[in-house]
Amino acid sequence: MLSQDFELMKPWCALQPYQDMTRPLTNYFISTSHNTYLFNSQVMGDSNREAYNRVLRAGCRAVELDCYDGENGQPIVKHAYTLIVQKRLGDLFVYLQNVPFREYEYAKANYVCYHSPNVAENHFGRAVRDEPACVVQQTAKTLCRLYPSGIRQDSSNPDPILPWNFGVQMVALNFQKYDKIMALCHGKFSDNGGCGYVLKPNYLIDASRAKFNPFDHQTKPSDFSENVFEQPQTLIITIMSAQFLPRSSSKANDVPDPYVEVSTHGIPCDQQAQRTCVVHNNGLNPIWKETFRFHIDFPQICLVLFTVYDHDVLSKNDRLAYFCLPMKTMQTGFRHMRLRSKDNGLTDSTLFVHVEIEGYEEEDDCATRALSIKKFDPAKYDSIIKSHQCEKNYDKSSGTMESAAILKMFKRSVSKYGVYYTKYVGDGDSKTFPVLSKIVPYPGKVIEKIEDLNHFSKRMKRGLETIKREHGRKKLSDGKTIGGKNRLSGRNIIRLQMTFASTIRKCKHDLNLLFERSWAIFWHKYSTNNDPHHDYCSIDWCGYLKSVRDGTSYDHTSHAMPRPVLDAIKPVFESLCSRESLARVVNASSQNANESFHSLVWLMSPKHKASSGTTFEIACCLTIIIFNEGYFGIGDVFNAMCCYQGHYTDQAMIHFDISRLHTESKENNRQKRKETGHVLLKNNGKEENSGIIDDNDQTNDDDDDGDPTDKATSEDHDETSDSDEQITDNDHRTSSDDESLDDDDYGYYNSKDKRRWVEEE
Ligand SMILES: [Zn+2]
Ligand SMILES: [Zn+2]
């Protein structure tokens, strides 16, 4: 449990520098000390070169030397107007050169001569109050050093969080003071291997584009420009227990009464603190098991500080130990941290926690990942880095990938093909179209959105399923539940959806007709012999209208759905089949061609398996050929590659094409049969071409003797077979990738699909 693998901080962040170390110095936060020559208080004390040694070892990369002219033209270091013993500058330099610092190579490699403005704490306070945005722009261009105001005679430290938020690279802190501020400083610079340089988030580097102002984010939720690449996250921390806590230095013979405070330090809206209750008289193994949630809008710049206090009713609560780290370096799961003493020394005390991060997407930087093995297997690390040709071509989260790709395709259409894409077929909930309409790819041209009717008709199914779920086993006014034979069974839900889909397909060019025919589905079912409602029906399929025309008799009882059931599902029709709602599917289209293309791609490069960019590109190219010209078109590729296309290759390709056409026609037939309800019929004895709805009504559901368990079983079975139908259906026709809420919707890629990239029969 105490091994490095279980530490809270990602080992590859803690063990060695992993960030890009070749940027201008202005792009980094730099660990900086103030009054470096001091050991203890500000005005009294020895100016000791050991002090320099200490701060440099503590990771500090910018020290302070107050130089004056001394005897014989030699510079000396002293603190002006104070009682500090003067040192010859030469003494310090000699010392600096002799100490072999671990990170010296980085420090040396990055050494550039900079002129930096030195800003006093109180002056900075005024600047950010008056012109906050300007300060961010300034620190993006100029190296800036902030030093504590002279009023702080006790070496207390200013809060560095505010200047860091504004991109100030060097916030000079009194390293000799062991306060909470220094805890934050050690936490911040524990990142990047503790080398003393930490890369700023992009919005403080590319400040002119990001237009970032920390003061705009005092309260949640934050609304930031898209050039601020932040992913808000929720940090869920459970403080489990602590082990071997130290005793308070001021009350050495008193057993501590510990409690833990978790605080977050970053942009103003992310400043939060929560604490556990107090465990009395137990410093050995106190247990809390308390969970805290922190919603963090700017994780990249946020620090998380764990502080263990000794509760004291009479005096001030004592800080016993702490641990601080950047939120981005936290690992999830059960973790422990080795607590630091107040002076940042290692202790044997540990804190055991559980961490969850919601909205968390692991950055997929191959080089970063490989770093985790650098220490244990340097040879392997080297070979990975040397041989790795990175194919990463997208930096933001995967959720924004689709819209970014579509936008790119639209933008290049003119230069590439000389055309404007003016129509976009998409589903209603897609996040893509809002992006297209917000960022106009063609100035002055409007892109028309065309609804995908498959997605739209699925709302019928979802709406009905919701009604059914909400009713559960509740009895309707006729004393029966909503489901069951000839009621809202799983099959009938599918049938209603299919009928709705085919109605849209047939009437999509005429809103009035579409409205009437959609409602006909409902009213036709609602009709009884005493109270017929066939005003909206079409004589093409309505048995009642046919019998009126032919003067024959017609009996509703065999197929009408019970009115209590229809009353219960009427809200679904009211919301879906209003004119406003149906107006969206007027002239609707479908994404079937896309789905067909996709299913070929995923067949060769399965979605659930990682494949390299090269493999994926080959799969796409082959798909384009097969989709447009059939497998035979691949023959040309063989010709180009081998200058020869053999007889058997031809035969194989012809075979593939025939089998593909065969499969497709089978699929089409199956689809057609299903749309007309035939495939679900068990006793389909009558005319082959009778209408959709009446046809459904002839379905003979399994015999139901009224036994509730029996009913439940048959219904369960019912639903299983339905969802199977849906899966195969989705595989070829409709995308529900963005609707993963439905368990039975697998999208066009179906993980249950056992087909392999072999099309032998
Ligand atoms: Zn890579
Ligand atoms: Zn009718």
Side-chain angles (χ1 to χ4, degrees):
M1 288 296 284
L2 292 180
S3 86
Q4 206 162 45
D5 295 338
F6 281 96
E7 287 204 12
L8 180 61
M9 193 168 174
K10 293 172 183 168
W12 61 91
C13 296
L15 293 176
Q16 60 273 304
Y18 64 94
Q19 297 176 340
D20 181 1
M21 298 301 284
T22 61
R23 310 266 200 103
L25 217 42
T26 47
N27 291 7
Y28 300 88
F29 292 114
I30 303 164
S31 179
T32 304
S33 98
H34 178 243
N35 288 348
T36 312
Y37 41 82
L38 284 178
F39 250 139
N40 295 311
S41 81
Q42 194 81 22
V43 281
M44 298 290 289
D46 276 339
S47 171
N48 192 322
R49 59 184 181 184
E50 176 57 19
Y52 286 87
N53 188 16
R54 280 201 189 184
V55 295
L56 289 164
R57 276 192 180 283
C60 175
R61 288 296 168 267
V63 295
E64 186 183 5
L65 299 170
D66 287 3
C67 297
Y68 295 88
D69 285 336
E71 292 162 12
N72 309 325
Q74 294 281 318
I76 57 161
V77 176
K78 67 168 187 179
H79 200 193
Y81 317 118
T82 58
L83 311 169
I84 311 293
V85 181
Q86 299 171 3
K87 280 278 172 198
R88 277 179 50 235
L89 181 61
D91 289 353
L92 290 168
F93 275 158
V94 167
Y95 198 70
L96 279 179
Q97 282 157 4
N98 287 345
V99 181
F101 292 106
R102 199 156 49 93
E103 304 84 5
Y104 182 65
E105 288 308 308
Y106 274 105
K108 199 168 68 177
N110 283 281
Y111 178 73
V112 191
C113 191
Y114 279 91
H115 296 282
S116 65
N118 231 353
V119 187
E121 189 188 345
N122 39 3
H123 185 77
F124 176 79
R126 274 197 304 277
V128 294
R129 200 180 51 228
D130 296 344
E131 287 178 291
C134 289
V135 174
V136 177
Q137 305 282 326
Q138 188 64 32
T139 59
K141 289 179 290 194
T142 335
L143 201 58
C144 180
R145 180 178 179 278
L146 183 81
Y147 60 90
S149 105
I151 313 160
R152 296 178 185 271
Q153 287 289 312
D154 58 349
S155 286
S156 70
N157 277 313
D159 186 348
I161 297 294
L162 176 77
W164 282 336
N165 285 345
F166 279 89
V168 173
Q169 292 85 355
M170 299 190 284
V171 182
L173 297 173
N174 293 300
F175 273 56
Q176 65 277 17
K177 188 78 183 175
Y178 304 127
D179 54 10
K180 195 169 156 183
I181 298 301
M182 279 314 297
L184 293 173
C185 175
H186 290 306
K188 185 172 188 75
F189 292 103
S190 61
D191 196 2
N192 204 17
C195 74
Y197 299 91
V198 174
L199 208 53
K200 293 185 191 176
N202 81 295
Y203 43 86
L204 292 176
I205 293 174
D206 197 0
S208 52
R209 235 153 49 94
K211 300 200 172 20
F212 178 72
N213 172 5
F215 285 166
D216 288 346
H217 306 283
Q218 304 284 356
T219 51
K220 292 175 197 309
S222 283
D223 181 20
F224 32 75
S225 97
E226 60 184 279
N227 289 322
V228 173
F229 301 122
E230 274 284 17
Q231 292 272 315
Q233 295 173 338
T234 303
L235 185 60
I236 304 160
I237 296 176
T238 306
I239 303 291
M240 306 296 294
S241 60
Q243 293 78 33
F244 310 116
L245 292 174
R247 292 191 175 192
S248 160
S249 49
S250 56
K251 296 164 284 181
N253 43 16
D254 187 18
V255 176
D257 306 312
Y259 69 90
V260 182
E261 183 184 272
V262 187
S263 51
T264 57
H265 305 261
I267 302 301
C269 60
D270 293 340
Q271 311 264 24
Q272 298 158 62
Q274 300 184 58
R275 61 175 57 175
T276 64
C277 60
V278 175
V279 173
H280 291 284
N281 278 317
N282 187 352
L284 188 66
N285 54 0
I287 295 173
W288 290 281
K289 282 193 188 163
E290 289 182 53
T291 302
F292 308 106
R293 299 174 73 94
F294 299 88
H295 184 82
I296 304 295
D297 282 348
F298 296 87
Q300 287 182 68
I301 203 171
C302 186
L303 299 173
V304 182
L305 173 65
F306 298 83
T307 317
V308 184
Y309 287 94
D310 180 10
H311 176 70
D312 202 317
V313 273
L314 298 175
S315 61
K316 196 166 161 275
N317 294 334
D318 257 334
R319 224 154 52 92
L320 295 178
Y322 82 91
F323 189 80
C324 181
L325 78 172
M327 178 169 162
K328 288 303 261 184
T329 68
M330 271 173 120
Q331 308 202 81
T332 53
F334 284 103
R335 299 287 165 187
H336 79 256
M337 57 197 105
R338 279 178 192 281
L339 296 173
R340 298 282 181 149
S341 60
K342 278 199 278 188
D343 59 358
N344 197 38
L346 273 173
T347 68
D348 291 328
S349 314
T350 49
L351 190 61
F352 185 52
V353 296
H354 182 265
V355 177
E356 243 179 284
I357 300 180
E358 283 176 358
Y360 176 75
E361 283 182 59
E362 185 68 64
E363 55 205 280
D364 201 4
D365 187 327
C366 318
T368 311
R369 296 298 190 84
L371 276 173
S372 57
I373 60 159
K374 187 178 182 180
K375 190 183 164 197
F376 312 101
D377 195 347
K380 192 172 175 191
Y381 172 80
D382 283 346
S383 84
I384 287 175
I385 293 300
K386 281 208 187 78
S387 62
H388 180 63
Q389 294 178 320
C390 197
E391 293 176 303
K392 183 178 175 182
N393 58 6
Y394 193 71
D395 285 322
K396 289 190 245 176
S397 76
S398 58
T400 61
M401 204 184 269
E402 182 178 330
S403 49
I406 301 264
L407 191 62
K408 196 171 159 191
M409 283 160 67
F410 270 72
K411 278 185 170 166
R412 72 185 184 193
S413 73
V414 177
S415 64
K416 224 174 165 177
Y417 306 110
V419 295
Y420 294 113
Y421 298 147
T422 54
K423 292 186 170 115
Y424 171 85
V425 183
D427 49 279
D429 331 315
S430 158
K431 294 169 196 85
T432 308
F433 190 68
V435 173
L436 275 184
S437 42
K438 208 170 83 190
I439 307 168
V440 188
Y442 319 118
K445 287 240 178 319
V446 178
I447 294 165
E448 182 194 347
K449 173 162 178 195
I450 298 174
E451 194 77 18
D452 174 52
L453 60 85
N454 290 320
H455 273 91
F456 189 83
S457 67
K458 268 199 183 160
R459 293 170 183 214
M460 173 67 82
K461 176 167 170 270
R462 225 169 293 139
L464 294 173
E465 281 169 349
T466 306
I467 297 269
K468 187 178 177 183
R469 199 169 46 243
E470 282 169 1
H471 275 78
R473 307 219 63 86
K474 213 164 66 189
K475 298 273 194 292
L476 298 182
S477 59
D478 59 359
K480 294 183 189 167
T481 60
I482 195 166
K485 177 193 170 190
N486 275 338
R487 297 166 79 83
L488 197 60
S489 66
R491 283 181 194 186
N492 277 338
I493 289 177
I494 294 283
R495 268 173 217 145
L496 286 166
Q497 186 215 326
M498 288 301 179
T499 314
F500 186 47
S502 96
T503 304
I504 299 172
R505 225 166 276 137
K506 277 186 197 149
C507 312
K508 65 182 184 186
H509 299 301
D510 182 343
L511 179 59
N512 274 326
L513 189 67
L514 180 57
F515 175 79
E516 291 185 356
R517 292 289 188 264
S518 303
W519 273 103
I521 302 170
F522 181 85
W523 292 117
H524 182 89
K525 286 272 183 196
Y526 200 78
S527 301
T528 62
N529 289 341
N530 296 330
D531 185 18
H533 287 269
H534 298 281
D535 312 342
Y536 288 156
C537 293
S538 159
I539 198 158
D540 291 344
W541 48 260
C542 175
Y544 174 82
L545 292 181
K546 276 181 195 158
S547 68
V548 169
R549 180 191 61 193
D550 302 341
T552 54
S553 69
Y554 183 82
D555 184 15
H556 285 85
T557 36
S558 66
H559 71 270
M561 216 181 236
R563 287 198 168 178
V565 175
L566 286 164
D567 287 337
I569 65 172
K570 201 176 178 191
V572 177
F573 279 84
E574 277 164 348
S575 79
L576 269 184
C577 305
S578 68
R579 279 174 207 277
E580 297 78 54
S581 161
L582 289 171
R584 295 175 52 187
V585 277
V586 169
N587 296 324
S589 187
S590 81
Q591 300 170 319
N592 291 357
N594 296 19
E595 310 305 351
S596 161
F597 182 89
H598 287 158
S599 71
L600 264 174
V601 175
W602 302 132
L603 200 61
M604 290 185 256
S605 172
K607 244 184 169 181
H608 64 289
K609 285 183 189 155
S611 62
S612 72
T614 311
T615 308
F616 186 73
E617 206 180 330
I618 293 172
C620 284
C621 293
L622 286 174
T623 300
I624 291 168
I625 297 172
I626 297 167
F627 186 79
N628 290 322
E629 297 174 39
Y631 286 90
F632 202 76
I634 295 180
D636 292 340
V637 179
F638 286 113
N639 263 334
M641 285 167 69
C642 324
C643 302
Y644 175 72
Q645 181 179 0
H647 170 74
Y648 290 104
T649 311
D650 279 354
Q651 291 306 306
M653 295 304 152
I654 290 168
H655 168 76
F656 281 151
D657 276 334
I658 290 170
S659 97
R660 183 162 185 248
L661 288 175
H662 180 65
T663 323
E664 268 184 12
S665 70
K666 264 200 314 208
E667 290 298 334
N668 284 340
N669 288 342
R670 191 183 58 85
Q671 195 60 41
K672 263 186 211 128
R673 281 200 307 274
K674 191 157 73 174
E675 271 170 25
T676 53
H678 282 267
V679 81
L680 297 166
L681 297 184
K682 284 189 179 145
N683 303 314
N684 175 24
K686 297 210 173 148
E687 329 100 274
E688 197 62 32
N689 294 320
S690 59
I692 303 159
I693 294 180
D694 276 348
D695 211 40
N696 288 345
D697 302 333
Q698 291 162 5
T699 319
N700 196 354
D701 273 322
D702 292 339
D703 279 342
D704 185 352
D705 59 7
D707 174 0
T709 48
D710 211 330
K711 197 188 256 172
T713 330
S714 78
E715 262 206 64
D716 285 345
H717 176 75
D718 211 345
E719 267 159 20
T720 320
S721 67
D722 280 341
S723 49
D724 283 344
E725 286 286 342
Q726 273 310 97
I727 292 164
T728 28
D729 182 37
N730 286 338
D731 195 28
H732 292 275
R733 300 182 55 86
T734 56
S735 157
S736 22
D737 205 26
D738 46 349
E739 299 165 332
S740 43
L741 292 171
D742 286 2
D743 285 347
D744 55 347
D745 283 354
Y746 281 96
Y748 44 79
Y749 178 72
N750 170 10
S751 58
K752 286 184 184 166
D753 190 342
K754 294 290 187 293
R755 283 180 301 170
R756 292 285 175 271
W757 176 232
V758 177
E759 294 212 347
E760 293 295 330
E761 288 202 317

